[in-house]
Amino acid sequence: MNWLVPRFVLAALVAVTGVLFGHWMGHLLPWPFLGEALSAVSAVAALVFLDAVRGHRLLKWLRGSQLDDAPRDSGIWGELGYRIERAVRERDKVIAAERLQLQQFLSAIDASPNGVLMLDAQDHIHWCNRVAADHFSLDPVRDLRQRVTNLLRSPAFVSFLNTESYETPLILNNVRGFSTLSVIVKRYGDGMKLVLSQDITERERSDSMRRDFVANVSHEIRTPLTVLSGFIETMVSLPLTVAERTRVLTLMGQQTDRMQGLVSDLLTLAQLEGSPRPTADRWVGLDALLARISSDALALSNDRHHLKIQVDTQIELAGVESELLSAAANLVNNAVRYTPVGGEIEVSWRQLGDGSGELCVSDTGLGIAREHLPRLTERFYRVDGSRSRETGGTGLGLSIVKHVMHRHGGELQIESEPGRGSKFRLAWPAVRVRHVGEPALGVEAANAPAH
Ligand code: ADP
């Protein structure tokens, strides 16, 4: 109220000045009191006019954007302007802070690996992040305020959105059909909905691979087990001659070997997957390795093939000896098993100009049709299942070879032609190859992660 008193004082002073001025003027007029009254009224009117001008200036500023300063008048209008301006500035600061917070919040949701779609009570799109836009093929700007069911017409999605309970997520094929989405809906606010989407393609794929793997392993184990239990039943229920008994026991031994082979390959694979990448500071002599492989191959072939194994390479390879042996032995075993009697099998080392090298196992055996080549290293993939099993194959050999090579920064390359034979190459990077007694290339390079 401290502004009111000066205001009254000012009005009174103006009126008194007016009266005095009117009194002085009254000598000049025929009606002296009229002059005093008119002067007092004019003085107050002038004061009101001044107020009106200042009030108008303040109003004009208030109606505008208020970016510039409020009018700096004296007295009540000045104080009013100053206080309003201060309140406006405070409000602007709060709004800016809240806007920044909202912006940061939206950026955080936008960076989420999951899709977030906000719908109003009528299912109009209120906001969506980039991932949701990608999942549902939406345009985050153009499609705002559109009804989502007009854009996503999948009947499964439409009926899911209209159900009352969203307990189980909806599994939806992406609009473009390349991926699988898991969609959940949460209600919030006044009938609003939050649609959350997650790309589960990889998870689905690995789930299905795991299911296939378990099914394959079960199948591989069940078959010899069934055969074994049949033989056991025969031996229990039938009186067998010595010769029959020996034959049955031999067949039982074969089935047990088959199961043992399978379990051992499965263990090898599990070990390869679970152990760290081999460092490049342990050197393994290739010749000793090939000598062991050669004697195994001779025993397996039993003189039915022409074997040519080069055992004087003078090469050392950096890696884990048991893994290198397993990779090379698998290839040589396959060559023996898939090459008919009289065929040729050759194992040789070739050093390339850049210091890298390849161990090549070639045969003149059955060969493999082109369409099978890309799938050969899949677990349990066989071109001819019965031949593989008959010869003691588990369907895991090439998968092990590929794993070993990958861990050592190398690669398995396959060339084959049906009826003419196959060539399997184990390609070694230069940093893991050296001649006996020679220093190797940089160890750091060999330890770099495989691509
Ligand atoms: P398996 O234990 O069945 O031999 P692998 O993973 O070692 O399993 O090989 C996968 C398949 O590739 C085999 O079943 C066979 O059909 C084919 N294969 C592998 N090596 C040869 C080869 N040297 N000649 C012809 N076919 C081969």
Side-chain angles (χ1 to χ4, degrees):
M1 296 295 271
N2 57 350
W3 55 270
L4 204 56
V5 179
R7 200 118 198 99
F8 271 124
V9 172
L10 184 67
L13 275 176
V14 167
V16 169
T17 318
V19 167
L20 289 177
F21 182 70
H23 185 71
W24 175 71
M25 287 283 289
H27 298 296
L28 310 173
L29 292 169
W31 311 282
F33 289 113
L34 183 65
E36 287 165 17
L38 274 177
S39 294
V41 168
S42 329
V44 171
L47 190 66
V48 169
F49 177 71
L50 195 68
D51 271 353
V53 169
R54 289 173 171 175
H56 173 73
R57 250 200 322 244
L58 185 62
L59 261 179
K60 198 171 151 200
W61 177 78
L62 275 173
R63 283 188 191 127
S65 59
Q66 296 139 29
L67 290 176
D68 48 350
D69 290 345
R72 291 280 178 261
D73 287 319
S74 57
I76 171 102
W77 293 109
E79 174 147 5
L80 259 179
Y82 168 71
R83 291 200 182 276
I84 293 175
E85 186 186 329
R86 212 171 63 174
V88 166
R89 298 285 174 255
E90 287 295 317
R91 186 203 62 184
D92 284 352
K93 252 192 244 169
V94 171
I95 291 177
E98 281 173 359
R99 199 169 281 162
L100 182 72
Q101 216 173 357
L102 179 70
Q103 212 55 46
Q104 285 171 344
F105 181 68
L106 289 180
S107 314
I109 303 181
D110 209 28
S112 153
N114 296 332
V116 180
L117 187 66
M118 290 164 151
L119 304 180
D120 67 12
Q122 281 74 46
D123 291 343
H124 292 130
I125 298 174
H126 195 59
W127 186 83
C128 78
N129 70 354
R130 268 173 300 167
V131 180
D134 179 51
H135 283 172
F136 299 117
S137 295
L138 297 172
D139 185 314
V141 178
R142 194 195 55 209
D143 293 338
L144 285 190
R145 284 176 290 282
Q146 300 279 331
R147 191 184 284 270
V148 72
T149 44
N150 288 345
L151 302 167
L152 296 176
R153 291 168 181 274
S154 149
F157 179 78
V158 174
S159 69
F160 181 66
L161 205 60
N162 293 329
T163 49
E164 281 307 304
S165 97
Y166 301 112
E167 271 158 26
T168 38
L170 168 74
I171 304 299
L172 192 70
N173 275 329
N174 183 325
V175 180
R176 290 186 294 273
F178 300 127
S179 52
T180 311
L181 299 176
S182 164
V183 179
I184 53 174
V185 177
K186 298 271 173 208
R187 286 183 194 281
Y188 74 102
D190 194 9
M192 318 262 273
K193 289 176 193 141
L194 189 68
V195 181
L196 302 167
S197 57
Q198 191 186 9
D199 190 331
I200 53 164
T201 319
E202 270 313 305
R203 200 174 75 196
E204 291 273 293
R205 196 174 293 153
S206 70
D207 277 358
S208 120
M209 272 170 70
R210 205 188 54 235
R211 277 194 300 272
D212 285 355
F213 183 67
V214 171
N216 276 324
V217 171
S218 314
H219 175 75
E220 294 290 331
I221 288 184
R222 200 178 50 197
T223 316
L225 269 180
T226 314
V227 178
L228 271 180
S229 77
F231 284 142
I232 292 169
E233 216 177 287
T234 311
M235 290 182 82
V236 170
S237 54
L238 294 177
L240 298 177
T241 62
V242 175
E244 283 169 339
R245 208 179 149 77
T246 313
R247 201 181 68 84
V248 166
L249 283 173
T250 312
L251 291 172
M252 284 172 83
Q254 280 170 6
Q255 297 304 323
T256 323
D257 287 348
R258 189 171 150 190
M259 279 200 290
Q260 256 171 358
L262 180 69
V263 171
S264 138
D265 276 0
L266 284 172
L267 281 175
T268 307
L269 265 180
Q271 247 163 14
L272 290 175
E273 280 174 352
S275 50
R277 196 166 171 259
T279 53
D281 50 3
R282 281 192 294 173
W283 292 91
V284 181
L286 182 60
D287 292 338
L289 217 75
L290 289 174
R292 282 166 70 180
I293 289 168
S294 171
S295 66
D296 289 349
L298 281 170
L300 188 66
S301 162
N302 203 10
D303 269 350
R304 287 173 298 158
H305 308 93
H306 302 289
L307 284 172
K308 204 168 135 199
I309 301 184
Q310 183 191 351
V311 287
D312 56 349
T313 61
Q314 300 290 308
I315 287 291
E316 284 183 328
L317 299 175
V320 180
E321 185 173 5
S322 59
E323 292 185 21
L324 306 193
L325 183 69
S326 162
N330 262 306
L331 293 188
V332 179
N333 278 359
N334 279 355
V336 173
R337 287 167 42 230
Y338 297 109
T339 303
V341 179
E344 279 175 28
I345 295 161
E346 189 177 345
V347 181
S348 58
W349 171 261
R350 192 159 76 102
Q351 182 102 24
L352 304 177
D354 59 357
S356 64
E358 51 188 37
L359 186 71
C360 180
V361 179
S362 55
D363 63 59
T364 56
L366 305 173
I368 305 158
R370 180 186 284 269
E371 67 268 23
H372 296 292
L373 295 182
R375 300 198 58 193
L376 282 187
T377 53
E378 283 176 25
R379 291 166 187 194
F380 297 112
Y381 188 83
R382 292 160 163 125
V383 178
D384 179 350
S386 58
R387 186 172 181 105
S388 157
R389 289 189 187 87
E390 267 166 31
T391 53
T394 59
L396 295 172
L398 291 182
S399 169
I400 292 174
V401 178
K402 181 181 146 185
H403 251 291
V404 169
M405 292 314 289
H406 194 72
R407 279 162 56 72
H408 286 81
E411 163 178 38
L412 167 67
Q413 297 161 352
I414 310 173
E415 273 172 43
S416 190
E417 214 179 305
R420 301 197 68 145
S422 316
K423 194 177 266 190
F424 290 78
R425 287 201 198 90
L426 301 181
W428 287 86
V431 280
R432 285 188 181 261
V433 177
R434 73 175 183 192
H435 275 276
V436 175
E438 257 184 16
L441 291 176
V443 167
E444 295 82 7
N447 288 336
H451 32 259

